[in-house]
Amino acid sequence: MKAFFENGYFLSLLRRDIIQFKQNTMNIRPRRNRKSSVIRSMVEETKVTTADLIFPLFLLEGEKKQVEVASMPGIYRYSLDLMLKEIETCMDMGISAFDVFPVVEEHHKDKMATKSADSAFFYLKALKKIKNTFPEACIMTDVAMDPYSEDGHDGIVRDGEILNDETLKVLGEMALAQADTGIDIIGPSDMMDGRVGYIREVLDAQGYQDVSIMSYTAKYASAFYGPFRDALDSAPKSGDKKSYQMNPANRREALIEASLDMQEGADFLMVKPAMAYMDIIRLLKDHFDLPIAAYNVSGEYAMLVAAAEKGWLDYNQVMLETLLCIKRSGADVILTYFAKDFAKVTRL
Ligand code: PBG
């Protein structure tokens, strides 16, 4: 190979027709492994299956409600009765993991996110019902104050500051209340310092050693969360999340976050968003032996759907390519709003 290129190179300086001859006798032709679909499948390095995916769902209080998220066409907020039907449909299609988020009405919100740990609250009651109805499904929940907070921030706000240590106590109670419902994985998503260790300790002290923690390890302060905040009506009332979520400019800092989460007892390390952050997914994959998750977020879903609606992109093709590339970049698990459509398309 080396000799060929050296010869080719030097000969090119001399005579073009000899180069032509050299090319005709190439003994290494990568295209041979692309010549048929059977061979292409044989040598394929990455495959995505429904077993890799977690489908985020938005839960409404009440009954018989199904409301589309305006900035996420095809994604609905469901009341429990209809969500149970949706989960059943997804399970039949091979999707068995769900991340359930509550849509909390404004009158339930307060400064301390009190409803997040109230076992009589519709969300916690619904989680119990979902787990009882589908014990074989894997149910994940988010631990952060924002959906329940009148400030719309992930931590307690005092004088415009987001408090770290005071917030941990709220997170511990929230995690415990969620674990009480029987859910499988807790996802601390607020980027407070020390929360994985704190939540692990609280859970273990109450006998919940088997509840997993999927830490939002490298969660960036991203504008790609916009449609999610529309879905939950959870945008910050003032300021932004830059004092706790990571700066999109930083890569090395993700290694610090990952080391801490690993030491504190995380079972999975998550990178979020996914598409513009594939270097971070690969970085964590190469440096840590825990499973790596990637959150293919709301804005990433919205932009592909919007372009497809305009007829500018082929929805199915870009969806399959996106998930494939997120997995190739190092993700073992992908949280994605494409989950159901992926199952539909790959089942054909
Ligand atoms: C809440 C939370 C957010 C997302 C997941 N959990 C929003 C945020 O941090 O503002 C974003 C998910 C998405 O955009 O799909 N802490």
Side-chain angles (χ1 to χ4, degrees):
M1 182 72 184
K2 188 160 178 275
F4 167 74
F5 280 114
E6 278 172 11
N7 288 343
Y9 176 70
F10 287 113
L11 287 170
S12 76
L13 301 174
L14 303 170
R15 297 226 1 223
R16 274 198 98 208
D17 54 344
I18 295 179
I19 294 288
Q20 204 57 51
F21 171 74
K22 279 284 176 195
Q23 278 176 354
N24 289 339
T25 61
M26 274 192 285
N27 58 357
I28 295 172
R29 288 179 179 270
R31 284 190 60 190
R32 273 198 290 268
N33 281 346
R34 298 177 208 138
K35 75 180 170 192
S36 73
S37 103
V38 175
I39 291 181
R40 284 194 295 273
S41 301
M42 233 177 243
V43 301
E44 197 161 81
E45 297 174 39
T46 309
K47 275 195 177 68
V48 180
T49 75
T50 49
D52 305 320
L53 308 180
I54 299 179
F55 191 25
L57 296 171
F58 303 122
L59 181 76
L60 289 171
E61 190 171 4
E63 270 179 82
K64 299 194 181 67
K65 290 188 198 159
Q66 173 174 353
V67 187
E68 194 171 32
V69 181
S71 46
M72 302 175 77
I75 295 295
Y76 296 85
R77 299 178 282 195
Y78 296 101
S79 53
L80 177 62
D81 49 341
L82 299 182
M83 184 172 285
L84 291 171
K85 291 214 172 81
E86 173 71 353
I87 292 176
E88 189 171 5
T89 308
C90 292
M91 300 268 290
D92 286 343
M93 297 167 74
I95 306 283
S96 344
F98 305 89
D99 193 355
V100 182
F101 294 92
V103 182
V104 180
E105 288 170 22
E106 211 55 41
H107 65 96
H108 289 313
K109 298 184 183 182
D110 60 22
K111 289 205 70 80
M112 299 300 284
T114 314
K115 289 292 180 192
S116 66
D118 175 353
S119 60
F121 195 48
F122 82 99
Y123 175 60
L124 293 167
K125 287 200 307 201
L127 291 175
K128 204 176 223 166
K129 174 77 182 169
I130 292 170
K131 259 322 272 191
N132 283 338
T133 313
F134 304 104
E136 70 282 26
C138 172
I139 305 297
M140 172 167 167
T141 52
D142 225 53
V143 170
M145 289 177 64
D146 55 335
Y148 318 88
S149 151
E150 64 180 50
D151 297 304
H153 274 289
D154 292 24
I156 299 172
V157 184
R158 191 189 300 147
D159 302 329
E161 252 192 67
I162 318 298
L163 307 180
N164 193 91
D165 299 15
E166 291 83 341
T167 296
L168 294 182
K169 193 169 166 286
V170 179
L171 299 178
E173 282 163 12
M174 193 184 309
L176 208 50
Q178 293 178 356
D180 283 340
T181 70
I183 54 94
D184 304 89
I185 303 180
I186 277 177
S189 71
D190 65 332
M191 294 302 284
M192 297 298 136
D193 293 333
R195 86 265 204 234
V196 171
Y198 184 82
I199 291 170
R200 185 73 273 158
E201 213 175 287
V202 169
L203 290 175
D204 289 0
Q206 298 298 319
Y208 290 124
Q209 294 88 343
D210 292 335
V211 173
S212 312
I213 297 183
M214 181 182 290
S215 178
Y216 286 64
T217 295
K219 177 178 182 181
Y220 288 86
S222 169
F224 285 103
Y225 308 150
F228 175 96
R229 294 176 191 170
D230 292 345
L232 294 197
D233 195 14
S234 64
K237 300 280 162 47
S238 67
D240 53 40
K241 299 193 174 187
K242 290 181 184 166
S243 75
Y244 44 108
Q245 297 179 348
M246 282 178 60
N247 181 346
N250 294 356
R251 210 171 90 91
R252 281 154 38 86
E253 196 179 335
L255 293 172
I256 300 177
E257 289 287 358
S259 316
L260 287 169
D261 284 355
M262 193 159 149
Q263 284 166 43
E264 290 175 33
D267 301 288
F268 302 78
L269 303 177
M270 187 205 291
V271 174
K272 179 182 174 190
M275 291 169 66
Y277 294 80
M278 287 188 193
D279 58 325
I280 310 299
I281 297 172
R282 172 50 55 189
L283 183 72
L284 295 199
K285 179 72 164 197
D286 287 345
H287 285 82
F288 295 88
D289 292 331
L290 285 174
I292 305 298
Y295 200 139
N296 178 208
V297 300
S298 57
E300 299 176 321
Y301 172 84
M303 67 182 175
L304 295 188
V305 172
E309 279 189 348
K310 279 191 169 272
W312 293 347
L313 289 175
D314 177 321
Y315 177 71
N316 288 344
Q317 299 289 337
V318 292
M319 166 187 61
L320 296 174
E321 186 177 331
T322 298
L323 296 177
L324 181 70
C325 295
I326 293 172
K327 183 154 185 199
R328 189 206 60 227
S329 76
D332 302 287
V333 184
I334 307 172
L335 294 100
T336 181
Y337 303 95
F338 292 124
K340 192 178 174 191
D341 287 341
F342 173 88
K344 220 180 278 169
V345 170
T346 54
R347 222 155 80 112
L348 297 176

